[in-house]
Amino acid sequence: MDTAPEAQPEIVESRRPIILTIVCIFGIIGAIANLWRVFFGGPSIFGPWLLVTLAISAIITIVSMVGVWMMRRWAVYTYVVLCIVGQIAWQIIVGIVIWKAVLLRCLVIALLFVYFKRMR
């Protein structure tokens, strides 16, 4: 008769929290949608600079979301700078503030910093 305690399966914590996985997926989908708009949408009423800015922003978003997917700290810095510069560019080109977009970006940035110490 074996009196040893039954071995319990080891719980392994995922390297990337599920919430960051969701953020990355939605971020990449949104960036691809913006690229689609740039290449297949009509001209912008705000001029060609909006489409150029949108394309650059989408590419940098994809790069930063891939970095977050790999749990890299540089990706957080890249996303924060993108949000700040993007908001300034949007303000210059369009001249309005879309508060829902600003709040969503702030929420994503806060979430990234919650898991910042777990990143390499």
Side-chain angles (χ1 to χ4, degrees), residues 83-100:
C83 290
I84 292 169
V85 172
Q87 189 59 45
I88 292 169
W90 182 261
Q91 198 60 35
I92 291 170
I93 295 170
V94 179
I96 59 172
V97 176
I98 301 175
W99 289 106
K100 288 180 185 178

Side-chain angles (χ1 to χ4, degrees), residues 17-51:
I18 189 72
I19 190 72
L20 291 186
T21 301
I22 293 168
V23 165
C24 291
I25 291 170
F26 280 117
I28 290 172
I29 289 171
I32 290 171
N34 283 339
L35 284 175
W36 184 270
R37 162 74 171 95
V38 167
F39 292 112
F40 299 110
S44 171
I45 62 172
F46 298 105
W49 283 109
L50 180 66
L51 295 178

Side-chain angles (χ1 to χ4, degrees), residues 55-75:
I56 292 169
S57 173
I59 291 167
I60 295 172
T61 298
I62 291 170
V63 169
S64 65
M65 289 297 114
V66 169
V68 171
W69 185 273
M70 298 184 321
M71 296 295 286
R72 301 287 191 236
R73 288 182 178 179
W74 60 261

Side-chain angles (χ1 to χ4, degrees), residues 5 17 36 75 103 108:
W36 184 270
L103 291 174
V108 170

